Amino acid sequence: MDFAIKLIRFYEQIECKAFLKNQLARAGTSIGANIHESTYAESPEDFIHKLGIALKECNETEYWLNIVAEICPDLKKETLQLKHYAGSIRRMLIASIVTVKQRLGMEK
């Protein structure tokens, strides 16, 4: 949730194309929503699925942040901070997915 709040505050600073802001907002806030939803997963496979969606949204958020950094160079520092935060979330999601899959015997 902390990342989504930081992203929403950043959203307010962006003065470029509305569609770009909207894509960033949708992907970035979806990460936490899917992680939150995973806490009530119906099965370990459902848990993995929800975290997988969060991982995809995290990757997409990093993509949109790269575009914002190029289009709005005055926001490059903020985009780098958010990309670093998103990268940390991405690594945690990957580790969580791998751990659950290992426990289920789905991966080596």
Side-chain angles (χ1 to χ4, degrees):
M1 189 166 70
D2 185 52
F3 179 75
I5 291 167
K6 288 182 187 309
L7 193 69
I8 291 165
R9 289 186 178 134
F10 175 68
Y11 175 94
E12 295 168 355
Q13 298 175 41
I14 303 171
E15 295 180 5
C16 60
K17 307 291 184 193
F19 79 91
L20 178 59
K21 290 174 65 170
N22 292 336
Q23 288 293 109
L24 177 61
R26 278 192 205 101
T29 56
S30 179
I31 299 166
N34 280 289
I35 292 169
H36 184 74
E37 193 176 329
S38 74
T39 61
Y40 293 102
E42 296 175 4
S43 66
E45 292 81 8
D46 188 35
F47 179 78
I48 292 167
H49 176 72
K50 287 179 179 18
L51 290 187
I53 293 170
L55 180 59
K56 288 180 181 183
E57 295 294 340
C58 191
N59 187 50
E60 182 179 341
T61 300
E62 290 176 286
Y63 171 79
W64 292 117
L65 286 168
N66 286 332
I67 291 176
V68 171
E70 291 299 318
I71 292 177
C72 307
D74 55 315
L75 297 175
K76 202 159 202 154
K77 180 182 175 189
E78 291 86 350
T79 56
L80 286 174
Q81 290 171 341
L82 286 167
K83 281 174 43 181
H84 178 73
Y85 200 160
S88 296
I89 294 169
R90 180 175 29 83
R91 288 185 292 280
M92 285 188 275
L93 286 167
I94 291 168
S96 296
I97 292 167
V98 167
T99 299
V100 174
K101 284 184 174 183
Q102 287 174 339
R103 287 183 182 163
L104 294 174
M106 297 170 77
E107 284 195 7
K108 298 177 188 179

